[in-house]
Amino acid sequence: MKGKEVQISTREENLYLFVFDLLKEGLRPSQICKRLNLKKQAMQYYLSSLKQKGLIKKIGYGVWETSTNINPQEVQKTTRLTHINPQQICTSFAPDTVRAHAFQFTFEVPENLRNWDKRKEILQKLGISFKELKVFGGGEQIEFKGRKVWLTNKSIIIFEKASYLAETAEQAKSYAVAEALETIKAFEHHIQANLGRYRFKVSRQHYALIKNALAKQYDKEGNKLYVASEQGSFWFIIDNSFNLHEAETIHPKTAVQDNKKIQDFFNGVKQLEGFTPQFVVNSLGIQAQNIENYAVHLKSHVKSVQDLGAAVLELVKVVKELRQ
Amino acid sequence: MYIKLKGGRVYTGKVVKIDDRDEHHPLISIVDQYGRDVAFDVSEIKLIQQEAA
């Protein structure tokens, strides 16, 4: 009896590199389909994945441009990406919603923490892999639940990758801090250490206003904006880093307050429609003209009062003469 | 925000976090209309918009 013919799925095979190489050679997707015996739908699957990874770009009907710098490992690891990505989710938010991100929390290690100086041996004993840190004073880098964690002599630094969304920077920060406290608790358990009462600071924090009007204008013109304080540290930037037309406040200490000021400014502009710098300049011009007119009128009034004064004196003279 | 998942579930609430530690499976956390914390893979989302249609 003839066995049932089984079609072997090509989905399990890694064809990304083949597809990429053939596109680079200048073949069209339909030609690649014939060469690799792929269905149209499968071809679309590979194209969309490579496109979302930013490795290829459509420049015409059936014509794709490939990126020059490519890491084969990266292509091999490429999996089908989700239809909706985090950026697309953020585009659903109202303009000037705050996206807090790039958090770095520094937890102080108590001076009397037992065996902290022998932490390398303990990490090895616990089977936790780490990398040596090439920073001043040395330290270890650990990967914990997808986050980068640095252990130094005086502190534990957690680098948070997630974005927190809220209407205000304070609210977004509170979400991030709540999560950081949960993370450090789990991390204590992971490395079997007890920090006692937590003493920590937020040593990096960025607050971006999504779909900001000013950022849109800058991004449209392909410009970037970096504003530094008088002390020389940047506190406000527009660089379209997340492709969301974001205006970001990034000062490690004042980012929350700065963001509130920026948000209040833009909300103010939105409420006072037509309140533009041009409007202010025009209004000041009108005011100046009014003051000038007033001065001219005042001069003529003074003249009239002087004339009146002279007439009164003349009248007094006449009255005196009549009495005599 | 109004979020509809591919499985049919619908949530109305606030998105509070987008966690892309795993770039292939970004997680989205929301507080729904009943104040519950809900988290799911971004790939589960069918539709997301500011208000219900």
Side-chain angles (χ1 to χ4, degrees):
Chain A
M1 189 184 155
K2 195 181 172 185
K4 194 181 174 187
E5 197 175 319
V6 180
Q7 192 182 359
I8 298 166
S9 168
T10 55
R11 186 166 275 222
E12 296 304 313
E13 296 172 23
N14 194 329
L15 288 169
Y16 293 102
L17 262 180
F18 285 112
V19 172
F20 182 83
D21 286 342
L22 293 171
L23 284 171
K24 206 170 186 177
E25 280 176 28
L27 263 69
R28 283 167 181 264
S30 55
Q31 294 167 316
I32 299 171
C33 279
K34 277 180 196 163
R35 186 168 308 181
L36 298 176
N37 196 22
L38 282 175
K39 284 182 182 169
K40 255 183 169 178
Q41 290 88 336
M43 189 67 218
Q44 198 53 45
Y45 172 90
Y46 291 112
L47 287 176
S48 63
S49 294
L50 289 166
K51 184 185 160 191
Q52 285 192 39
K53 264 280 180 193
L55 298 167
I56 58 170
K57 189 179 160 191
K58 191 169 185 176
I59 53 169
Y61 185 76
V63 187
W64 294 81
E65 189 182 74
T66 51
S67 68
T68 45
N69 300 324
I70 183 170
N71 174 9
Q73 289 294 325
E74 193 184 351
V75 183
Q76 279 168 349
K77 277 184 198 166
T78 304
T79 58
R80 173 116 176 139
L81 295 176
T82 54
H83 182 62
I84 293 177
N85 61 34
Q87 277 100 328
Q88 282 170 310
I89 289 173
C90 288
T91 57
S92 321
F93 288 96
D96 292 327
T97 300
V98 178
R99 183 176 75 88
H101 60 285
F103 279 103
Q104 187 179 316
F105 297 95
T106 305
F107 288 83
E108 200 177 285
V109 173
E111 279 180 22
N112 56 356
L113 186 64
R114 207 157 52 91
N115 292 335
W116 188 246
D117 50 339
K118 295 171 193 160
R119 59 184 183 273
K120 262 191 217 174
E121 295 147 41
I122 295 170
L123 289 175
Q124 280 165 348
K125 212 181 276 178
L126 292 171
I128 300 169
S129 60
F130 61 88
K131 277 187 215 165
E132 290 284 348
L133 275 178
K134 287 171 188 167
V135 293
F136 179 74
E140 297 78 36
Q141 181 182 317
I142 295 173
E143 187 84 5
F144 178 65
K145 292 188 174 178
R147 298 173 180 91
K148 192 170 73 177
V149 181
W150 285 10
L151 308 182
T152 67
N153 292 336
K154 289 187 176 174
S155 55
I156 296 175
I157 305 167
I158 297 174
F159 297 83
E160 181 58 69
K161 273 186 171 181
S163 295
Y164 300 87
L165 295 132
E167 283 162 16
T168 63
E170 286 107 325
Q171 185 65 55
K173 186 177 180 177
S174 72
Y175 294 148
V177 169
E179 181 133 330
L181 292 173
E182 275 180 30
T183 307
I184 192 71
K185 208 171 175 184
F187 188 69
E188 276 182 305
H189 186 69
H190 186 59
I191 61 167
Q192 296 183 5
N194 185 3
L195 298 181
R197 199 172 172 186
Y198 300 131
R199 287 172 61 85
F200 73 99
K201 64 175 179 180
V202 184
S203 36
R204 191 179 64 192
Q205 47 188 336
H206 290 188
Y207 299 94
L209 296 175
I210 295 171
K211 296 196 279 186
N212 178 264
L214 182 66
K216 270 185 192 172
Q217 190 64 32
Y218 267 81
D219 299 339
K220 195 177 165 188
E221 291 165 6
N223 293 330
K224 291 177 181 182
L225 175 72
Y226 295 91
V227 184
S229 65
E230 285 170 0
Q231 287 76 30
S233 47
F234 288 113
W235 69 274
F236 182 62
I237 60 165
I238 294 175
D239 63 0
N240 205 18
S241 55
F242 208 55
N243 205 20
L244 279 170
H245 307 305
E246 292 177 334
E248 284 188 49
T249 55
I250 60 165
H251 195 280
K253 285 181 185 166
T254 62
V256 173
Q257 296 93 307
D258 293 341
N259 194 276
K260 185 165 181 354
K261 285 176 204 163
I262 298 283
Q263 203 173 26
D264 287 348
F265 171 78
F266 280 103
N267 284 335
V269 171
K270 204 182 283 175
Q271 279 167 11
L272 296 167
E273 211 169 312
F275 188 81
T276 60
Q278 193 58 43
F279 169 78
V280 175
V281 170
N282 288 344
S283 303
L284 285 174
I286 292 165
Q287 286 297 321
Q289 189 62 47
N290 285 345
I291 290 169
E292 217 169 281
N293 292 343
Y294 181 71
V296 171
H297 288 154
L298 207 61
K299 266 183 194 170
S300 67
H301 285 170
V302 168
K303 181 86 175 53
S304 304
V305 170
Q306 280 171 345
D307 291 349
L308 195 66
V312 168
L313 284 174
E314 199 69 28
L315 199 64
V316 169
K317 255 186 208 174
V318 172
V319 171
K320 268 183 187 175
E321 280 169 11
L322 282 173
R323 275 187 185 169
Q324 284 166 3
Chain B
M1 299 290 280
Y2 173 82
I3 299 166
K4 194 172 181 182
L5 301 188
K6 286 174 185 167
R9 279 179 293 158
V10 171
Y11 294 102
T12 310
K14 255 190 348 182
V15 175
V16 292
K17 185 181 157 195
I18 295 171
D19 188 348
D20 47 3
R21 276 177 283 163
D22 180 348
E23 64 177 299
H24 301 307
H25 298 284
L27 289 172
I28 181 167
S29 305
I30 68 163
V31 177
D32 76 357
Q33 66 265 47
Y34 308 111
R36 296 175 303 195
D37 294 325
V38 189
F40 39 80
D41 194 318
V42 170
S43 63
E44 287 183 67
I45 298 171
K46 187 177 181 185
L47 176 75
I48 181 163
Q49 54 194 36
Q50 274 186 49
E51 282 169 26

